[in-house]
Amino acid sequence: MLTFYNEHHAQHRGRHEMFRGALVPCFEKPERVDMVLAEFERRGLGKVVTPHGVSLVSLERIHTPRYLHFLRNAWSEWVALDEANADKDAFPSVWPIRGMRTDIEPDNFAARMGLYSMDSGTPLTAGTWIAAKTGADCAVNAAHALRLGERGTFALTRPPGHHAGADFFGGYCFLNNAALAAQHLLDDGAKRVAILDIDYHHGNGTQSIFYGRNDVLFISIHADPRTEYPFYLGHASETGDAEGKGYNMNLPLAAGSTPAQWFLALESACVKLASFAPDALVVSLGVDTFAGDPLSSFALHSSDFLRIGERIAHTGLPTAFVFEGGYAVNEIGINVVNVLEGFETAN
């Protein structure tokens, strides 16, 4: 498996996040990728390379120019407000809601940060832009390698991406790596691309980006949004809009769902994939479905992740895996690499 590694990921290192009314150490931390890389290299699963940089124009295929401009300059603006801010993460504190205008960008930094965010649990740090941008480079390179003939590729990066929309960040995500990978595949000649999101949390950003389109099928297996983040998207009734009607499939599962229930949902997803017949597949690879994850209530075991990789391989599709969530740090390397090994060794 050809892996594109974000060597700048640790520049995004949040000090704290807001969790259940308190500031706590960040769950999304550099050690997540470090553990995956160590396990990948220990098993000798393939070559690890750094990505070629992609242009901002490529990012604008998914994200709006004014949002990208904000992200690129947010830290310098934050520190310009007060030199002491250099030692603090930036968090949003106010948001536009129903009936408020979003077409006019405020001059006030706090107001602009709220305009481009969806929660108060995603710290913006001094290195957020370079980490997110290099992560996007990894995803686009992983997609491009499929077009050059690779059967499977992996974008090993953080921060994750699937909660980021065209013009907002949240859920630890700033640039939507899976969406960028899918769009690159289309721009590079693919006619139809599918995205399979197996993170514990619904990929609301990815859904919102492609919801009105019929060239990308989005399928997500996730915890029921009535009880789990991101709460406001991810219901089974959301099937797409306009030309995208029928090209969005949500498979929400109740808290405490068993591995058998989860794999039944995966089988439904694979049946839908087969009927869509895409040219390539992008997998949002979150392993926070693991029984020991602190932010999950599913019960998959490490051996189950091998089965996931095997089933994805049996779709017969060129596949780019993009790293998303997973917060049981001690086991994260085993769980992620099990998926990749299952994919690589499947007959």
Side-chain angles (χ1 to χ4, degrees):
M1 170 137 337
L2 180 60
T3 292
F4 294 89
Y5 169 62
N6 181 356
E7 61 186 12
H8 298 296
H9 76 89
Q11 292 196 39
H12 174 74
R13 183 186 292 270
R15 295 170 175 85
H16 300 94
E17 65 176 83
M18 184 65 69
F19 182 68
R20 296 174 183 169
L23 278 176
V24 301
C26 289
F27 290 101
E28 203 293 290
K29 52 191 176 182
E31 290 79 5
R32 298 174 61 247
V33 161
D34 297 340
M35 295 292 280
V36 175
L37 180 63
E39 182 67 16
F40 189 93
E41 293 180 333
R42 186 186 72 81
R43 297 196 206 180
L45 201 57
K47 188 176 181 181
V48 178
V49 300
T50 56
H52 297 292
V54 302
S55 68
L56 286 176
V57 173
S58 297
L59 303 187
E60 289 175 0
R61 298 289 290 141
I62 291 298
H63 296 286
T64 66
R66 76 172 190 172
Y67 172 63
L68 294 172
H69 182 268
F70 171 78
L71 273 187
R72 291 174 68 195
N73 295 284
W75 184 256
S76 61
E77 292 188 43
W78 169 241
V79 174
L81 292 173
D82 184 340
E83 291 182 1
N85 284 348
D87 297 320
K88 305 173 185 176
D89 293 341
F91 288 93
S93 58
V94 60
W95 294 267
I97 61 167
R98 294 165 293 282
M100 294 183 176
R101 296 185 65 171
T102 59
D103 58 317
I104 299 176
E105 187 181 59
D107 294 331
N108 181 280
F109 175 79
R112 279 186 290 116
M113 193 170 193
L115 178 66
Y116 297 120
S117 70
M118 62 174 281
D119 63 35
S120 62
T122 304
L124 192 148
T125 79
T128 295
W129 169 254
I130 189 168
K133 170 58 171 62
T134 309
D137 296 343
C138 288
V140 171
N141 278 249
H144 189 68
L146 296 184
R147 301 295 291 169
L148 297 178
E150 294 287 338
R151 172 175 174 261
T153 58
F154 179 38
L156 178 53
T157 184
R158 53 168 294 281
H162 71 150
H163 293 305
D167 62 354
F168 62 85
F169 67 89
Y172 310 146
C173 304
F174 296 90
L175 296 175
N176 195 308
N177 299 317
L180 288 161
Q183 186 62 56
H184 179 80
L185 287 164
L186 293 169
D187 292 343
D188 203 36
K191 301 301 182 185
R192 296 152 71 91
V193 176
I195 300 174
L196 174 62
D197 191 324
I198 58 173
D199 192 276
Y200 177 75
H201 304 93
H202 177 252
N204 62 287
T206 314
Q207 173 173 307
S208 67
I209 287 166
F210 296 114
Y211 202 62
R213 292 172 51 171
N214 60 14
D215 54 352
V216 176
L217 170 68
F218 177 63
I219 306 175
S220 180
I221 307 169
H222 54 269
D224 193 327
R226 290 175 298 180
T227 60
E228 300 293 328
Y229 188 93
F231 303 113
Y232 308 112
L233 277 184
H235 300 280
S237 58
E238 298 156 13
T239 59
D241 187 42
E243 292 183 0
K245 193 70 173 176
Y247 295 90
N248 193 89
M249 183 182 192
N250 287 324
L251 297 163
L253 299 173
S257 290
T258 65
Q261 291 168 317
W262 194 93
F263 276 97
L264 186 62
L266 178 62
E267 197 58 37
S268 296
C270 290
V271 169
K272 181 74 170 180
L273 278 174
S275 66
F276 181 64
D279 298 313
L281 175 64
V282 177
V283 176
S284 274
L285 177 54
V287 295
D288 41 2
T289 49
F290 177 60
D293 197 279
L295 299 182
S296 166
S297 63
F298 285 175
L300 297 189
H301 301 288
S302 292
S303 59
D304 291 321
F305 292 101
L306 280 166
R307 293 175 56 200
I308 292 171
E310 291 168 357
R311 184 61 186 91
I312 292 172
H314 289 152
T315 66
L317 296 169
T319 302
F321 293 89
V322 178
F323 187 42
E324 301 283 6
Y327 308 99
V329 175
N330 290 338
E331 297 86 4
I332 194 170
I334 293 170
N335 294 338
V336 169
V337 179
N338 275 0
V339 175
L340 304 179
E341 184 172 310
F343 179 88
E344 285 286 272
T345 58
N347 294 322

